Amino acid sequence: RYVAALEEWLIRALDSFNVRGERREDRVGVWVRRPEKAGSGEDKIAAIGIRLRKWVSFHGFALNVDPDLSHFSGIVPCGIQEHGVTSLVDLGVPATMDEADEALRRSFDRIFGAAVEASAPL
């Protein structure tokens, strides 16, 4: 449920940019459909990592805003070869990191029930 909640948080933040993120039962992260692309027709836009240690959870995520996507050609992102990687800018959304941070702040309390202060880093 925790991973699904993190995915939902990212999906709702993407909604702010009119990007439809989706969850997949068989893999972690947030995906967007890309019917115009050859292959699987979907790309990963956000990755999630979780670690549990001594009953404490640590999480991290990567929402691709405007990375150099060519850097992914030399690796197998998240161990998944059959799908690509995308970003907001690659999807035609000229978003900035500040705009992405604000979208994440706004969607956080709807998922986790607590507001994030505007000055708190995510």
Side-chain angles (χ1 to χ4, degrees):
R1 268 185 7 181
Y2 182 53
V3 172
L6 292 171
E7 289 170 335
E8 186 63 26
W9 174 32
L10 290 159
I11 288 167
R12 289 186 185 202
L14 288 169
D15 281 345
S16 299
F17 300 102
N18 295 316
V19 172
R20 183 172 181 212
E22 300 177 353
R23 183 178 304 113
R24 297 289 178 261
E25 288 296 320
D26 60 338
R27 48 191 195 259
V28 174
V30 178
W31 304 83
V32 293
R33 293 183 189 270
R34 304 289 302 268
E36 76 281 4
K37 287 184 73 175
S40 70
E42 63 182 12
D43 287 338
K44 191 172 204 174
I45 193 164
I48 297 172
I50 303 294
R51 179 177 183 203
L52 298 172
R53 184 171 183 215
K54 297 182 181 180
W55 298 99
V56 175
S57 65
F58 302 85
H59 76 270
F61 67 89
L63 173 60
N64 296 332
V65 176
D66 187 17
D68 181 345
L69 295 176
S70 70
H71 291 254
F72 290 100
S73 65
I75 64 170
V76 180
C78 302
I80 301 171
Q81 292 180 305
E82 62 272 17
H83 304 289
V85 177
T86 192
S87 68
L88 287 171
V89 170
D90 184 50
L91 294 172
V93 179
T96 66
M97 290 297 291
D98 287 340
E99 291 167 331
D101 283 345
E102 184 56 35
L104 288 162
R105 280 188 184 95
R106 284 193 314 266
S107 63
F108 185 87
D109 63 327
R110 291 183 287 176
I111 303 301
F112 295 103
V116 178
E117 292 182 30
S119 62
L122 294 177

